[in-house]
């Protein structure tokens, strides 16, 4: 698998990443082992998790598999901290929370360091400089090699990255930002992605297949066993089952037929090759699904198909949104 630099850093990662959101909750250790082995054997290196996935269970499973199944030095482990089960606040990015959370992640993962440590979301109750200083401490202590953020809107990302570049109480440059991005969700193109490109921050798209909808599995209803049929995950899928999404899914299916590939491959190739994207994160449930996604490595969309998909999925830009059409 080809490698790409993570932002303006020397770290190179596989241009597809493996997500672990369902590990420990819907994906047991045996299935996770098959996923990780399939990903690694295809040349994948970047595995993304978080301390809140299955209440730490995803990190525990990954920690058990690294070393025994895949050499630690051949994987780049990314995790996140900052989400909290607190009825008074959803996020806590204070030093008091973040640094103990990182230590707990390292214990669960069974490693001395993570390759990428990410702030899970912006915390309006904690001064940004305190959060950024926690990143400094993590990197300078060797517990994290690189730092990033997740779910920061445009001004939040720009503020954090600019403060770091200016050395305002912090030295660790942001390597990445993780955001949902697909043909069904192009909101990052308004401000987040232009800011990331300008500031040299690499984008790691989550849900690159539109929460599974872009595979076409929901074209004729909700199939049994899918996320949309799950009581817990149905609300997660529902926003992408409207008429607008259906038009985009149909266009992807037509493109796939013309190229003799699958809708999954078309949708994934589109987001993988967007400006500023480093590595879409794949959330496959089975090794077979993952293998199909990884086969996109040899696919590049023809310009006419890419433009047609751009047009059918184009988000509405109104003042004062950035004009993305020039890119």
């Amino acid at each position: 698998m080809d490698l790409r630099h993570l932002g303006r850093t020397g770290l190179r990662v596989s241009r597809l990443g493996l997500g672990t959101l369902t590990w420990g909750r819907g994906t047991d250790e045996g299935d996770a082992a098959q996923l990780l082995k399939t990903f690694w054997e295809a040349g994948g290196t970047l595995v993304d998790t978080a301390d809140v996935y299955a209440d730490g269970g995803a990190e525990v499973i990954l920690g058990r598999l690294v070393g025994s199944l895949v050499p630690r030095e051949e994987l780049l482990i990314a995790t996140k901290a900052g989400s909290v089960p607190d009825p008074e606040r959803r996020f806590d990015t204070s030093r008091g929370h973040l640094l103990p959370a990182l230590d707990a992640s390292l214990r669960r993962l069974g490693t001395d360091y993570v390759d990428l440590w990410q702030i899970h979301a912006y915390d309006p109750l904690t001064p940004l400089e305190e959060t950024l200083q926690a990143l400094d401490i993590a990197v300078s202590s060797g517990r994290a090699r690189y730092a990033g953020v997740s779910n920061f809107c445009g001004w939040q990302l720009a503020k954090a990255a600019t403060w770091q570049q200016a050395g305002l109480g912090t030295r660790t440059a942001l390597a990445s930002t993780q955001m949902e991005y697909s043909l069904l969700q192009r909101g990052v193109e308004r401000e987040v992605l232009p800011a990331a490109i300008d500031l040299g921050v690499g984008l790691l798209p989550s849900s690159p297949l539109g929460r599974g909808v872009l595979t076409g599995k929901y074209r004729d209803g909700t199939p049994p066993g899918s996320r949309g049929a799950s009581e817990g995950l149905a609300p997660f899928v529902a926003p992408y089952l409207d008429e607008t999404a259906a038009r985009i899914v149909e266009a992807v299916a037509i493109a796939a037929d013309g190229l003799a590939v699958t809708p999954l491959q078309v949708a994934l190739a589109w987001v993988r090759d967007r400006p500023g994207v480093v590595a879409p994160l794949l959330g496959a449930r089975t090794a077979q699904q993952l293998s199909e996604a990884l086969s996109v490595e040899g696919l590049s969309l023809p310009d006419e198909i890419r433009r047609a998909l751009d047009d059918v999925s184009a988000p509405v830009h109104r003042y004062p949104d950035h004009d993305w059409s020039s890119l």
Side-chain angles (χ1 to χ4, degrees), residues 75-241:
L75 283 184
L76 300 173
I77 297 176
T79 193
K80 311 177 198 72
S83 292
V84 292
D86 187 331
E88 301 299 323
R89 62 192 301 182
R90 292 185 60 197
F91 306 108
D92 183 350
T93 64
S94 65
R95 281 193 305 273
H97 173 77
L98 289 176
L99 296 176
L102 175 57
D103 290 335
S105 287
L106 294 176
R107 288 193 296 271
R108 287 189 291 268
L109 290 164
T111 184
D112 295 330
Y113 70 95
V114 292
D115 298 276
L116 177 65
W117 190 44
Q118 304 158 97
I119 303 302
H120 211 149
Y122 186 83
D123 173 13
L125 300 180
T126 299
L128 181 59
E129 58 268 32
E130 179 178 341
T131 302
L132 298 179
Q133 287 165 3
L135 294 179
D136 273 348
I137 293 170
V139 172
S140 63
S141 67
R143 286 176 280 177
R145 298 287 173 83
Y146 295 88
V149 296
S150 174
N151 299 307
F152 275 40
C153 70
W155 72 263
Q156 294 163 353
L157 173 64
K159 183 176 181 180
T162 301
W163 278 18
Q164 289 183 309
Q165 291 177 2
L168 298 179
T170 180
R171 301 179 303 279
T172 301
L174 290 182
S176 64
T177 180
Q178 187 176 145
M179 298 287 288
E180 185 169 351
Y181 187 27
S182 72
L183 279 162
L184 297 183
Q185 179 51 271
R186 295 177 61 180
V188 297
E189 294 179 1
R190 287 193 277 273
E191 291 191 348
V192 174
L193 198 44
I197 291 172
D198 184 69
L199 294 162
V201 177
L203 178 67
L204 300 174
S206 59
S207 295
L209 299 175
R211 308 181 184 184
V213 175
L214 286 165
T215 64
K217 69 173 70 174
Y218 297 97
R219 291 173 73 192
D220 298 318
T222 301
S226 66
R227 289 180 178 179
S230 164
E231 181 179 351
L233 292 175
F236 180 69
V237 177
Y240 293 159
L241 297 178

